[in-house]
Amino acid sequence: MIPLKDTIPSREKPFMTWFIIIANVLVFLFQVSLPPEAAQEFVYRYGFIPEKFSRALSYGLITGISYSIWPIICSMFMHGSWMHLISNMWSLWLFGDNVEDRVGHFRFLIFYLLSGFSAAYTHWFFNANSLVAVVGASGAIAGVMGAYFLMFPLSSIVTLIPIGFIPLFVNIPAVFYLGLWFLSQVSSGILELFGPVFGSGIAWWAHIGGFLFGMLAINFFKKKYRRYNNFFDDEIFYYRYY
């Protein structure tokens, strides 16, 4: 399934979503411009490595958290391949504009970064001794998806389902689409605890942690009810019941 667009229009230009996408693209272009060995060193130096964080924590919680801030921020803007970058930025483009619309530009950036931190720490909890550098915006984007899941239950995702050479376009309810995605991350994360699984290079628990943070924290970032005079159906549902 390839998500193409959603059915919720934006009210304002998603400047912060654009900024995050541009920043990710520029960082990746810099990565691919480096020689192979330098590129690997760049990832190892600036990516988030759970084992290094564990060692920093041995000197105290404040030391560990202080150490982790810069690597986690850097890792959110780095990617391992063109497909990694494109899939993440497409998801951010698809879901980010609506969430930014409802929380405001600056608060969206804070929410996005905090989602990334939650994702990184969740990944560390289940992979504390891993020496593999974690890179990618997917954990932070999962937080955006979690917020979208809660805020827009009546939205639909226009999805392309290729059946052989025949393109089939289907409107899938966002609750079902994102709910199924989240369950797939949970199942894969649980299976990975018992051994390697297909796609074991994916930080499943980072996605889970980011998504849950997005659901739980978005209520603290949303604009106040009185700031809205006209509502889409989804907004009425969200602001009345959340």
Side-chain angles (χ1 to χ4, degrees), residues 5 23 29 32 45 49 62-63 75 98 106 119-120 135 160 162-163 165 170 173 180 184 187 205 220 223 225 235 241:
K5 65 176 183 177
L29 289 176
V32 297
R45 181 174 181 180
I49 301 176
I62 295 178
T63 301
S75 69
N98 298 119
F106 180 73
V135 297
L160 170 63
I163 301 178
F165 295 100
V170 180
L180 184 62
S184 71
S187 61
W205 289 103
F220 299 100
K223 294 178 181 178
Y225 181 91
E235 291 177 302
Y241 299 105

Side-chain angles (χ1 to χ4, degrees), residues 2 9 16 30 42 59 67 75 81 87 92 98 103 113 117 150 162 165 168 170 172 183 187 209 229 242:
I2 304 173
M16 197 57 70
F30 174 74
F42 181 80
Y59 295 97
Y67 158 79
S75 69
S81 67
S87 61
L92 179 58
N98 298 119
V103 302
L113 293 175
F117 275 93
L150 186 64
F165 295 100
L168 179 63
V170 180
I172 301 178
L183 290 177
S187 61
N229 296 318
Y242 293 95

Side-chain angles (χ1 to χ4, degrees), residues 6-87:
D6 67 340
T7 57
I8 302 295
S10 298
R11 293 184 176 182
E12 301 177 0
K13 299 294 184 183
F15 294 114
M16 197 57 70
T17 298
W18 293 348
F19 169 77
I20 294 171
I21 291 174
I22 292 171
N24 275 271
V25 171
L26 291 177
V27 170
F28 185 72
L29 289 176
F30 174 74
Q31 285 182 248
V32 297
S33 71
L34 297 173
E37 291 185 1
Q40 291 181 1
E41 174 62 26
F42 181 80
V43 169
Y44 184 79
R45 181 174 181 180
Y46 293 105
F48 175 67
I49 301 176
E51 191 273 339
K52 286 186 176 181
F53 178 51
S54 296
R55 279 192 282 124
L57 280 177
S58 66
Y59 295 97
L61 180 62
I62 295 178
T63 301
I65 297 297
S66 299
Y67 158 79
S68 69
I69 292 175
W70 183 240
I72 291 176
I73 291 176
C74 290
S75 69
M76 283 187 240
F77 294 90
M78 300 163 61
H79 288 83
S81 67
W82 278 107
M83 184 58 66
H84 190 199
L85 174 72
I86 292 171
S87 61

